[in-house]
Amino acid sequence: MKLSEAKTSADSSAASVSDRKAERRLAMIATAARLFARDGYADCEMESVASELGVAKGTLYLYFRSKEELFCACVDQGMRELQETVQQAAQGSIAPFDRISAAIRAYLLFFEQHPEQAELLIQERAFFHDRPKPTYFTYREASRERWRVVWAELLSGGSIRDGLTVDQILDFIGNLVYGTMFTNHFLGRSAGEQHALIMDIFYRGIWSDAQRHTGE
Amino acid sequence: MKLSEAKTSADSSAASVSDRKAERRLAMIATAARLFARDGYADCEMESVASELGVAKGTLYLYFRSKEELFCACVDQGMRELQETVQQAAQGSIAPFDRISAAIRAYLLFFEQHPEQAELLIQERAFFHDRPKPTYFTYREASRERWRVVWAELLSGGSIRDGLTVDQILDFIGNLVYGTMFTNHFLGRSAGEQHALIMDIFYRGIWSDAQRHTGE
DNA sequence: ATAAAATGACTGACTGGTCAGTCAGTCACC
DNA sequence: GGTGACTGACTGACCAGTCAGTCATTTTAT
């Protein structure tokens, strides 16, 4: 849908001016995210984004100060959607292990359905690597607090073996899904079957019972 | 060391012309890798690389066709060194589990000691993402064959529990160390203590014995 | 009801700075 | 005086960001 049409249709509704602006902003972000991911930050011209939207380049600068700001808005929007998706998936279950499993599944599926978001995370680091911390990790740490209580419950309930701390577990699973997500993205793999395997090894390890007794 | 000095010292030895060329090529790659990682591919000017080496820009073009080729040489050289480092670490042990543990430790330490290599992997994807597959994954798949036999041995020896295939295990551990490496890199974490934890959860899982019996 | 004026969203040709890559020229050494 | 490694000023392409101008819509005046 062209922005110009969006404007016309919005006119007929009772949407306020600021609503319409926010709506257009989102449309710009969605298109820009796709093109940034497809062409890369450097090769994606503002002119292209504008023409894809059916507006002139100057219009983009009425909504975003600079190319960089537009890009950051794309990353931020993507991470917010990821967070929401994962949180909603987790809320579908009560049992802690089910919540965890659902969240990880939702995480992997999100990037499978929005591969451009994986690409944007790479682009961000590549072009703005003077920043203290990638946006992804800011969001990861924010959600950490929420998950800490879930794991603490499992730990105190005796479901987790001795010698492991909540932070160690959070680091492990965080790194695992992060690596899995990127590998899936680069090699075009699907997250579906993988998910069960990941949880299986994460919960039970790879050792046989015989090896467990020799190993410790 | 300036290239010009390298040349003089090489002259006094019995090094052939092609040896000297290869040596200078490596010096260029080392410097370029550092600057590409520090400034990013786009912001790293050929002029800077040249002046850091104490040569003129034109000289770089006597050794590399283009900026892109120089960059690729950096990535390739880095991956070759990674492979060699990991392989050598693995050769220090005989027992399969020890070899695996040593290899993973060496892998994480390599990127800790050569953070520019992690950065180059990101830059590669960001700037040349039309390529079919990142160099990293080409090397990862090449080394996969070597590790497959190690795991097959463990599997047939009864050390691994039923229901897991070699490929599943290779994927899991590959994704885990990949994610851990990048997280360490971005958050400035050290691989030392982590290594033991990773292997522990990978081998034994997080479940307590009580949970293992309920869960299956 | 009609015209005139004000508004502000949108446009797109243009500018200024950037930098990869070139090549005619230099120079050290044989 | 021949060779070839090295130089660095120069060029041409590129593109983010600008801003004077256009036009549709709303407001005010008559």
Side-chain angles (χ1 to χ4, degrees):
Chain A
M1 180 176 65
K2 296 280 169 95
L3 274 188
S4 45
E5 298 165 24
K7 187 192 172 191
T8 313
S9 66
D11 273 347
S12 63
S13 78
S16 75
V17 173
S18 70
D19 277 356
R20 221 168 51 212
K21 264 214 141 185
E23 204 176 294
R24 307 195 75 187
R25 227 184 107 93
L26 277 178
M28 287 172 174
I29 288 173
T31 298
R34 203 178 72 243
L35 297 191
F36 276 138
R38 193 192 67 188
D39 303 334
Y41 181 78
D43 289 342
C44 174
E45 299 168 27
M46 291 297 270
E47 180 69 46
S48 314
V49 177
S51 87
E52 184 84 7
L53 282 160
V55 300
K57 187 162 68 149
T59 308
L60 288 179
Y61 285 90
L62 299 176
Y63 291 79
F64 303 92
R65 274 170 193 277
S66 64
K67 187 182 183 183
E68 180 171 343
E69 191 180 299
L70 172 58
F71 177 81
C72 290
C74 294
V75 176
D76 228 65
Q77 179 62 21
M79 288 302 98
R80 225 172 303 150
E81 282 170 18
L82 167 65
Q83 196 182 34
E84 203 174 316
T85 304
V86 170
Q87 232 176 318
Q88 226 157 41
Q91 277 167 1
S93 307
I94 306 292
F97 281 127
D98 289 344
R99 288 168 67 93
I100 290 159
S101 184
I104 291 171
R105 185 182 199 87
Y107 173 96
L108 292 174
L109 285 177
F110 177 85
F111 283 104
E112 190 172 329
Q113 283 156 16
H114 304 279
E116 76 279 3
Q117 289 304 327
E119 213 62 55
L120 291 188
L121 294 181
I122 301 161
Q123 296 287 325
E124 184 195 18
R125 176 61 185 188
F127 283 90
F128 310 112
H129 64 142
D130 45 337
R131 286 198 196 153
K133 192 190 301 177
T135 307
Y136 175 83
F137 286 97
T138 305
Y139 276 87
R140 174 162 161 179
E141 285 184 11
S143 76
R144 194 183 183 93
E145 295 310 315
R146 253 194 310 288
W147 288 105
R148 181 172 270 131
V149 298
V150 177
W151 284 104
E153 189 185 325
L154 285 169
L155 212 69
S156 64
S159 300
I160 311 296
R161 65 180 165 83
D162 291 341
L164 296 176
T165 68
V166 170
D167 279 307
Q168 287 175 336
I169 292 172
L170 284 171
D171 282 345
F172 184 94
I173 192 66
N175 296 343
L176 175 60
V177 297
Y178 186 59
T180 304
M181 177 272 286
F182 273 125
T183 306
N184 284 348
H185 177 68
F186 289 138
L187 301 184
R189 290 191 188 161
S190 172
E193 325 93 54
Q194 252 180 4
H195 175 250
L197 172 76
I198 287 172
M199 303 314 295
D200 188 43
I201 296 184
F202 176 49
Y203 291 150
R204 304 171 64 207
I206 59 163
W207 273 353
S208 63
D209 284 343
Q211 181 63 39
R212 280 169 77 87
H213 293 121
T214 359
E216 63 200 8
Chain B
M1 180 175 63
K2 296 279 169 97
L3 273 188
S4 44
E5 298 164 22
K7 186 192 173 191
T8 314
S9 67
D11 274 347
S12 62
S13 77
S16 74
V17 173
S18 70
D19 277 355
R20 220 167 52 211
K21 265 213 141 184
E23 204 175 294
R24 308 195 75 186
R25 227 183 107 93
L26 277 178
M28 287 172 173
I29 288 173
T31 298
R34 204 178 70 241
L35 297 190
F36 276 139
R38 193 191 66 188
D39 304 335
Y41 181 78
D43 289 342
C44 175
E45 298 169 28
M46 291 296 269
E47 181 68 47
S48 314
V49 177
S51 86
E52 184 84 7
L53 282 159
V55 300
K57 186 160 69 149
T59 308
L60 288 178
Y61 285 90
L62 297 176
Y63 290 80
F64 303 92
R65 275 169 192 276
S66 63
K67 187 182 183 182
E68 180 171 344
E69 191 179 299
L70 171 58
F71 178 81
C72 291
C74 293
V75 176
D76 228 65
Q77 178 63 22
M79 288 303 98
R80 225 172 304 148
E81 283 169 17
L82 167 65
Q83 196 182 36
E84 203 175 314
T85 303
V86 170
Q87 231 176 319
Q88 226 157 41
Q91 277 167 2
S93 308
I94 307 292
F97 281 126
D98 289 344
R99 287 169 67 94
I100 289 160
S101 184
I104 291 171
R105 185 183 198 86
Y107 172 96
L108 292 175
L109 285 176
F110 177 86
F111 283 103
E112 191 171 326
Q113 283 155 16
H114 304 279
E116 77 278 3
Q117 288 305 325
E119 214 63 55
L120 291 188
L121 294 181
I122 301 161
Q123 296 287 325
E124 184 196 17
R125 176 59 184 189
F127 284 90
F128 311 113
H129 64 140
D130 46 337
R131 287 201 197 151
K133 193 190 302 179
T135 308
Y136 175 83
F137 287 96
T138 306
Y139 276 87
R140 174 163 161 178
E141 283 183 13
S143 76
R144 193 182 183 94
E145 295 310 315
R146 251 195 310 288
W147 288 105
R148 182 172 270 130
V149 298
V150 177
W151 285 103
E153 189 186 323
L154 286 170
L155 213 68
S156 65
S159 301
I160 311 295
R161 66 181 165 81
D162 290 341
L164 296 175
T165 69
V166 170
D167 279 308
Q168 288 174 335
I169 292 171
L170 285 170
D171 282 344
F172 184 93
I173 193 66
N175 296 344
L176 175 60
V177 297
Y178 186 59
T180 304
M181 177 273 286
F182 272 125
T183 305
N184 285 349
H185 177 70
F186 289 139
L187 302 185
R189 290 190 189 164
S190 172
E193 324 94 52
Q194 253 181 3
H195 174 250
L197 172 76
I198 287 171
M199 303 314 295
D200 188 42
I201 297 183
F202 177 48
Y203 290 151
R204 305 170 63 205
I206 59 163
W207 273 354
S208 62
D209 283 345
Q211 181 63 39
R212 280 169 76 87
H213 293 120
T214 2
E216 62 200 8

